[in-house]
């Protein structure tokens, strides 16, 4: 079970606070009714991920992930739906948690949001100052949505 909160990002101080960063390319084999099958290349590693629909709050959803050979992932990317996503992920320690900040590129330039994975829906966490408005449950900030509706087309940014 994946339990996470999502936030818009106010400024780029996360870059100086980050202890790691990686480059990600991902696309979807399928995405419908809140269910997705995703292929992701993250630096030199690759993953196949299946996600179920979110709960009513948008905080929790089933997630299954398996590492696969990078060459196989590259082959699978060729059969994915249109709308590949490229982003830089920055990792920032915040108390006991790691905040993952995703800075999107290409048609999604300008979109930056952060996620904090939690152990339970009501788990307490420290909120770094660079986090802005919470967008947990707002489907526009799901990568599956962004792959179909790039940020450059949003009217209400």
């Amino acid at each position: 079970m994946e339990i996470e909160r999502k936030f818009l990002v106010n400024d780029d101080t996360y870059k100086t606070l980050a202890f790691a960063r990686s480059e990600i390319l991902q696309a979807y084999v399928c995405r419908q009714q809140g269910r997705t099958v995703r292929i992701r290349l993250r630096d030199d590693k690759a993953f196949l991920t299946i996600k179920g629909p979110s709960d009513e709050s948008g905080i929790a959803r089933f997630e299954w992930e398996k590492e696969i050979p990078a060459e196989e992932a590259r082959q699978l990317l060729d059969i994915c739906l249109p709308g590949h996503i490229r982003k830089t992920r920055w990792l920032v320690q915040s108390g006991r948690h790691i905040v993952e900040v995703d800075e999107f590129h290409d048609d999604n330039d300008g979109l930056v949001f952060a996620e904090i994975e939690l152990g339970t829906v009501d788990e307490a966490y420290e909120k770094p100052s660079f986090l802005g408005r919470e967008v947990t449950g707002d489907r526009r900030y799901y990568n599956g949505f962004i792959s179909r509706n790039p940020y450059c087309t949003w009217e209400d940014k």
Side-chain angles (χ1 to χ4, degrees):
M1 186 65 66
E2 174 187 59
I3 301 171
E4 66 184 14
R5 310 283 296 254
K6 289 187 183 200
F7 298 86
L8 296 180
V9 173
N10 288 332
D11 59 55
D12 67 356
T13 55
Y14 61 88
K15 291 181 180 181
T16 58
L17 299 171
F19 66 86
R21 74 176 237 192
S22 56
E23 300 302 320
I24 295 173
L25 174 64
Q26 69 184 45
Y28 294 85
V29 175
C30 72
R31 53 178 186 247
Q32 65 185 80
Q33 299 174 340
R35 294 164 179 84
T36 60
V37 178
R38 177 185 75 201
I39 304 300
R40 174 180 279 175
L41 283 168
R42 183 173 181 170
D43 296 329
D44 60 345
K45 294 185 181 275
F47 303 89
L48 169 66
T49 306
I50 299 171
K51 293 187 178 194
S54 294
D55 68 2
E56 298 238 350
S57 69
I59 295 174
R61 69 192 291 192
F62 171 82
E63 179 183 70
W64 178 90
E65 185 168 78
K66 181 173 177 102
E67 187 170 348
I68 62 174
E71 184 53 39
E72 289 179 11
R74 285 186 199 88
Q75 292 170 359
L76 290 169
L77 284 170
D78 290 339
I79 65 161
C80 285
L81 297 167
H84 290 41
I85 292 176
R86 196 172 61 82
K87 60 188 178 180
T88 302
R89 173 162 290 168
W90 304 80
L91 301 181
V92 177
Q93 190 72 46
S94 180
R96 301 176 324 156
H97 298 95
I98 294 174
V99 178
E100 298 177 338
V101 180
D102 286 344
E103 177 185 0
F104 291 81
H105 305 295
D106 305 326
D107 286 346
N108 296 303
D109 269 341
L111 179 59
V112 182
F113 62 78
E115 300 173 345
I116 301 174
E117 290 206 19
L118 304 171
T120 63
V121 172
D122 58 355
E123 182 179 351
Y125 58 91
E126 292 181 32
K127 186 177 173 186
S129 62
F130 60 81
L131 293 185
R133 179 171 60 93
E134 184 168 4
V135 294
T136 301
D138 185 336
R139 299 202 184 285
R140 291 179 304 164
Y141 298 97
Y142 287 23
N143 284 270
F145 180 90
I146 295 165
S147 70
R148 287 188 312 269
N149 304 282
Y151 189 63
C152 68
T153 66
W154 295 15
E155 291 184 19
D156 58 341
K157 295 180 185 175

